[in-house]
Amino acid sequence: MNALHIKKGATSHSAYNLRPTYGDAVEQHTLAVLVDNEAGVLARVIGLFSGRGYNIESLTVAEVDHTGKRSRITIVTRGTPLVIEQIKAQLGRIIPVHQVNDLTVEGPSVERELALIKVSGGGDKRVEALRLADIFRAKVVDSTLESFVFELTGAPDKIDAFAELMRPLGLSEIARTGVAALSRGES
């Protein structure tokens, strides 16, 4: 051992550590991509993911600038930090892409999702479903003698938790919009 008590080969204390510090841990990232609103752009972006074996956990697309004909694609994906950096770099090279933001690392952001959840059943299960919906602030948007359709807006984890609680009460269908996200504060 040397006088500084640094183990031979240790790089965390070296002034010469030029190696990237990417880990092997798989992380979830939310990417916001500003693109031209034209035919084939979404296919090119999705093709980048499928061609390289990257998974998309959530995808939302909407026009955000009618006069400039721009759309925003919000993508939730998982990968190691190195894979996420590769995705961002490859997205930035696609011609109609104007901007790629990683909302996960660029600071605080707000993520929301909308879900419609149909629960079928009667009796005590019906009463329990209504009670839980009230706790989660879900709105009843349709009701029949056999079922309810709840509308729930919130973070993806909140929707997952509500759906899991509804399973034993008769969850029969669920439709989700995918994540919409914006960075907090000033841009």
Side-chain angles (χ1 to χ4, degrees):
M1 212 176 277
N2 57 23
L4 294 175
H5 305 290
I6 298 174
K7 295 178 188 170
K8 186 174 182 179
T11 58
S12 62
H13 301 291
S14 173
Y16 301 102
N17 180 16
L18 301 177
R19 291 183 226 150
T21 56
Y22 300 123
D24 291 333
V26 175
E27 303 169 343
Q28 180 172 299
H29 284 255
T30 302
L31 306 176
V33 184
L34 190 63
V35 299
D36 286 338
N37 187 11
E38 60 185 39
V41 174
L42 181 61
R44 278 184 258 168
V45 169
I46 302 311
L48 180 145
F49 279 80
S50 66
R52 289 161 180 79
Y54 304 146
N55 188 41
I56 295 174
E57 295 195 1
S58 173
L59 173 73
T60 56
V61 184
E63 187 174 52
V64 293
D65 181 5
H66 298 295
T67 57
K69 295 192 184 338
R70 300 265 170 101
S71 289
R72 179 184 174 105
I73 303 172
T74 305
I75 302 167
V76 178
T77 189
R78 296 180 74 80
T80 64
L82 182 60
V83 166
I84 299 297
E85 288 302 317
Q86 287 175 342
I87 289 171
K88 291 189 300 190
Q90 290 165 356
L91 282 170
R93 285 195 288 270
I94 297 175
I95 295 301
V97 171
H98 295 280
Q99 188 175 356
V100 178
N101 293 333
D102 186 347
L103 298 178
T104 306
V105 298
E106 291 179 8
S109 63
V110 177
E111 294 185 2
R112 292 292 180 266
E113 187 173 6
L114 172 81
L116 296 174
I117 300 168
K118 184 188 280 186
V119 179
S120 302
D124 289 342
K125 287 185 177 184
R126 194 170 170 89
V127 172
E128 181 66 8
L130 283 172
R131 189 184 70 76
L132 288 169
D134 187 47
I135 292 169
F136 278 81
R137 295 189 177 114
K139 294 191 316 190
V140 176
V141 293
D142 184 58
S143 178
T144 67
L145 294 175
E146 296 86 27
S147 68
F148 287 114
V149 175
F150 297 106
E151 176 187 299
L152 181 62
T153 304
D157 292 344
K158 176 182 177 181
I159 293 171
D160 291 341
F162 184 73
E164 283 306 310
L165 289 171
M166 289 295 128
R167 253 180 236 298
L169 301 176
L171 176 69
S172 58
E173 271 185 85
I174 186 166
R176 296 174 76 152
T177 60
V179 172
L182 287 175
S183 61
R184 292 187 64 202
E186 303 211 12
S187 299

